[in-house]
């Protein structure tokens, strides 16, 4: 499958590439059945061929989908189609914290405290569900235009306990 938009995967019409990370490419799209915009992460071809990455990628989707909290990105679906593995999630109207830090250098103290409280609340929910994120960094903290922080990218999450 060619990953040049537009294309269709799962129940989604993919419109444009919006990012790229260590495990794959992130696209903006529209979920046809639900009728709203989504973000789709598609596992890179190189990692599909590597043992364990497909399992880890799908585990990321399952892990995040278990978490229902305003400070955790929502996951709607995950699966495979024609050898392409994907996760369908909430599309954030905003940016990664790293982008803002690169642009502005610093964040006012009161706002930084508020963002940290939101990150802690999202991570506390993950811990309640038995998950440790293990990759908290500004790249994985998304901030909406209204200032809501969303913890994203549970690709390295580990379960608590035995």
């Amino acid at each position: 499958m060619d990953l040049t938009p537009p294309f269709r995967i799962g129940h989604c019409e993919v419109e444009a590439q919006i990012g790229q990370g260590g495990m794959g490419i992130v696209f903006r799209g529209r979920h046809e059945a639900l009728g709203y915009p989504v973000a789709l992460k598609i596992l890179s071809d190189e990692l599909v061929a590597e043992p364990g990455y497909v399992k880890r990628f799908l585990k990321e989707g399952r892990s995040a989908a278990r978490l229902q909290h305003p400070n955790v990105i929502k996951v709607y679906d995950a699966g495979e189609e024609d050898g392409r593995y994907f996760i369908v999630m909430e599309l954030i109207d905003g940016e990664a914290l790293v982008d803002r830090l690169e642009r502005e250098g610093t964040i006012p103290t009161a706002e930084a405290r508020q963002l940290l409280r939101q990150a802690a609340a999202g991570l506390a929910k993950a811990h309640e569900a038995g998950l440790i994120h293990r990759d908290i960094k500004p790249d994985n903290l998304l901030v909406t235009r209204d200032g809501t922080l969303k913890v994203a990218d549970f690709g390295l999450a580990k379960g608590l306990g035995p």
Side-chain angles (χ1 to χ4, degrees):
M1 171 191 291
D2 179 23
L3 290 182
T4 305
F7 63 92
R8 195 173 177 290
I9 189 165
H11 298 293
C12 300
E13 183 66 32
V14 177
E15 300 167 348
Q17 182 175 333
I18 57 174
Q20 188 157 356
M23 290 189 80
I25 303 171
V26 181
F27 295 92
R28 181 183 67 244
R30 179 161 293 283
H31 195 283
E32 294 169 339
L34 301 176
Y36 52 78
V38 294
L40 296 101
K41 184 190 286 188
I42 299 178
L43 186 63
S44 71
D45 288 340
E46 297 80 26
L47 296 181
V48 169
E50 291 289 324
Y53 275 97
V54 168
K55 182 178 178 181
R56 186 170 125 192
F57 184 77
L58 293 175
K59 180 181 153 215
E60 173 187 351
R62 283 191 304 275
S63 296
R66 291 182 6 215
L67 305 175
Q68 299 298 313
H69 190 276
N71 299 118
V72 175
I73 196 156
K74 294 177 185 132
V75 170
Y76 304 122
D77 195 8
E80 178 272 336
E81 185 173 294
D82 298 328
R84 292 280 182 197
Y85 293 86
F86 62 92
I87 298 172
V88 181
M89 60 195 132
E90 173 181 16
L91 180 64
I92 300 301
D93 182 20
E95 65 184 340
L97 188 56
V98 69
D99 295 331
R100 178 161 176 209
L101 290 170
E102 287 174 358
R103 185 178 63 252
E104 297 179 16
T106 61
I107 296 174
T109 303
E111 184 181 357
R113 282 189 191 119
Q114 181 57 24
L115 292 172
L116 285 171
R117 276 190 213 91
Q118 291 181 68
L123 292 170
K125 182 63 175 181
H127 291 187
E128 286 173 17
L131 292 173
I132 300 174
H133 188 284
R134 298 188 341 137
D135 195 22
I136 290 300
K137 57 188 177 186
D139 306 67
N140 295 335
L141 300 174
L142 308 178
V143 183
T144 66
R145 291 193 191 279
D146 72 0
T148 302
L149 182 136
K150 305 271 187 171
V151 177
D153 198 346
F154 282 79
L156 295 179
K158 288 279 186 190
L160 293 169

